[in-house]
């Protein structure tokens, strides 16, 4: 076998040197001989010859499987990313919903607190009105009627609205007929306690503003600087200081006007007593007398 193998190898080498096709044919024939096929290399594939359909189908199947596997891998990654994004969006939605719930709860609590506060204030005010009505009802009608006539019409209506019929009738009988008639007509109108309270407060504010507007005119007409000087000059310094100290809390400008009208000695005595009573207040007054603010 050795001489045969040597001869074949030598022939193969010679054929390689002279003709490529013969070499390939020899390789192909040698690959068909048992045992020798292990020592002879496979002939190179000829690109001009058509490939084996089975091998081509196998290669295409392998390529398709590889592509499918890669696409499946990419699809799996996309699904994981989509799942993460969905979970993050769900978490964000839950946070937003929780914040909205907190805002709604806080709004409702604030609204409930305001309503409770308003109800408490209204209840306290209504209780005071009822207590006042009970006070008038406990008085003799002849005594209660003149007092109630000094109230505004809206205030009388508010008090009568929470009073029992017996007390209401007894007081109305002792009142001025015209005022009693006006109040009776107002009582026939159906209004809530809140409307009555608002009307009563508005009427009182209106009456107080009118009185305040009329007070300066009457004061300027009845009291001039000379009368103010005489009034406070005849008072004791202690009484004048006490009166002006309380008056300064209400109207500082009027106190300065009065001190400017009295003589230096009277002013000195009054300021001395005011210093004993309230030295910071006295310092403020002296500063205003010197032109300060």
């Amino acid at each position: 076998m050795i001489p045969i193998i040597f001869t074949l190898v030598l022939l193969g080498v010679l054929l390689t040197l002279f003709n490529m096709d013969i070499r390939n044919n020899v390789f192909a024939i040698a690959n068909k001989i048992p045992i020798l096929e292990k020592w002879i290399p496979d002939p190179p594939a000829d690109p001009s010859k058509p490939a084996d359909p089975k091998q081509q189908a196998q290669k295409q199947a392998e390529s398709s499987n590889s592509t499918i596997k890669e696409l499946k891998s990419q699809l799996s990654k996309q699904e994981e990313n989509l799942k993460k994004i969905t979970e993050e969006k769900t978490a964000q939605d839950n946070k937003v919903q929780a914040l909205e719930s907190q805002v709604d709860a806080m709004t409702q609590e604030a609204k409930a607190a305001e309503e409770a506060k308003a109800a408490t204030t209204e209840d306290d005010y209504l209780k005071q009105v009822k207590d006042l009505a009970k006070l008038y009802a406990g008085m003799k009608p002849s005594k209660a009627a003149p007092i109630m006539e000094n109230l505004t019409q809206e205030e009388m209506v508010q008090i009568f609205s929470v009073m029992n019929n017996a007390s209401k009738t007894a007081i109305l009988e002792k009142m001025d007929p015209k005022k009693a008639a006006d109040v009776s007509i107002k009582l026939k109108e159906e209004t809530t306690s809140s409307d009555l309270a608002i009307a009563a407060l508005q009427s009182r504010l209106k009456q107080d503003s009118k009185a305040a507007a009329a007070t300066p005119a009457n004061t300027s007409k009845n009291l001039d600087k000379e009368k103010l000087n005489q009034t406070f000059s005849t008072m004791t310094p202690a009484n004048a200081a006490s009166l002006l100290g309380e008056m300064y809390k209400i109207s500082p400008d009027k106190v300065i006007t009065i001190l400017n009208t009295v003589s230096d000695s009277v002013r000195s005595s009054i300021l001395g007593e005011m210093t004993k009573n309230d030295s910071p207040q006295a310092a403020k007054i002296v500063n205003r007398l010197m032109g300060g603010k």
Side-chain angles (χ1 to χ4, degrees):
M1 292 298 295
I2 293 173
I4 295 171
I5 294 171
F6 178 76
T7 303
L8 292 175
V9 172
L10 181 61
L11 289 173
V13 172
L14 294 174
L15 291 174
T16 302
L17 295 175
F18 295 104
N19 192 341
M20 184 66 67
D21 294 334
I22 296 174
R23 184 191 66 174
N24 291 336
N25 292 331
V26 172
F27 282 166
I29 294 170
N31 281 323
K32 295 178 181 180
I33 299 173
I35 300 173
L36 187 61
E37 62 179 352
K38 297 180 180 179
W39 300 92
I40 302 300
D42 295 333
D46 189 0
S48 62
K49 294 182 179 180
D52 189 2
K54 292 183 179 181
Q55 294 180 355
Q56 188 175 4
Q58 185 178 0
K59 290 181 180 179
Q60 187 174 0
E62 291 176 356
S63 176
S64 299
N65 291 333
S66 176
T67 304
I68 291 171
K69 188 181 293 185
E70 184 178 358
L71 290 175
K72 285 182 177 180
S73 176
Q74 293 179 359
L75 180 61
S76 177
K77 291 181 181 179
Q78 294 295 331
E79 288 178 351
E80 290 179 359
N81 293 333
L82 181 61
K83 185 178 179 180
K84 289 181 180 179
I85 293 173
T86 304
E87 291 176 353
E88 292 177 356
K89 184 178 182 301
T90 304
Q92 292 294 332
D93 292 340
N94 293 334
K95 289 182 180 179
V96 171
Q97 188 175 2
L99 290 174
E100 289 178 351
S101 301
Q102 291 180 0
V103 171
D104 293 339
M106 293 174 65
T107 304
Q108 291 178 359
E109 289 178 359
K111 185 177 180 180
E114 290 179 359
E115 291 177 353
K117 184 178 179 181
T120 304
T121 305
E122 184 177 356
D123 292 342
D124 293 341
Y125 181 78
L126 185 59
K127 184 178 180 299
Q128 293 177 0
V129 173
K130 288 181 178 179
D131 292 341
L132 187 59
K134 186 177 180 181
L135 176 66
Y136 285 123
M139 298 171 62
K140 292 183 179 181
S142 59
K143 299 290 185 181
I147 298 175
M148 293 190 67
E149 286 180 350
N150 290 317
L151 301 175
T152 64
Q153 186 180 102
E154 289 77 8
E155 289 173 338
M156 286 189 287
V157 171
Q158 185 184 24
I159 294 173
F160 278 131
S161 65
V162 295
M163 193 180 291
N164 58 53
N165 291 330
S167 302
K168 193 186 306 181
T169 303
I171 295 175
L172 286 172
E173 287 177 351
K174 299 296 181 179
M175 288 179 61
D176 179 74
K178 186 177 184 307
K179 290 184 178 181
D182 293 338
V183 172
S184 301
I185 293 173
K186 288 286 185 180
L187 285 172
K188 291 169 62 178
E189 300 176 358
E190 294 184 359
T191 52
T192 62
S193 58
S194 300
D195 294 337
L196 291 174
I198 294 172
L201 291 173
Q202 288 177 345
S203 64
R204 175 54 56 184
L205 290 173
K206 186 176 180 180
Q207 182 173 338
D208 290 344
S209 7
K210 287 182 180 178
T215 300
N218 295 332
T219 302
S220 61
K221 181 179 179 181
N222 296 328
L223 291 177
D224 54 10
K225 291 183 178 181
E226 184 178 354
K227 291 181 180 180
L228 286 172
N229 186 10
Q230 292 176 357
T231 300
F232 284 91
S233 296
T234 55
M235 293 175 65
T236 61
N239 292 336
S242 178
L243 177 61
L244 291 176
E246 295 297 327
M247 186 177 177
Y248 187 80
K249 298 177 183 178
I250 302 172
S251 179
D253 293 335
K254 292 181 180 179
V255 174
I256 301 301
T257 302
I258 293 171
L259 290 176
N260 282 326
T261 59
V262 299
S263 62
D264 294 340
S265 58
V266 175
R267 186 187 309 112
S268 176
S269 301
I270 293 174
L271 288 175
E273 294 295 333
M274 293 182 75
T275 304
K276 295 179 182 178
N277 298 334
D278 191 348
S279 57
Q281 186 186 68
K284 292 179 182 179
I285 293 173
V286 172
N287 183 46
R288 292 286 298 274
L289 290 171
M290 296 177 66
K293 293 183 179 180

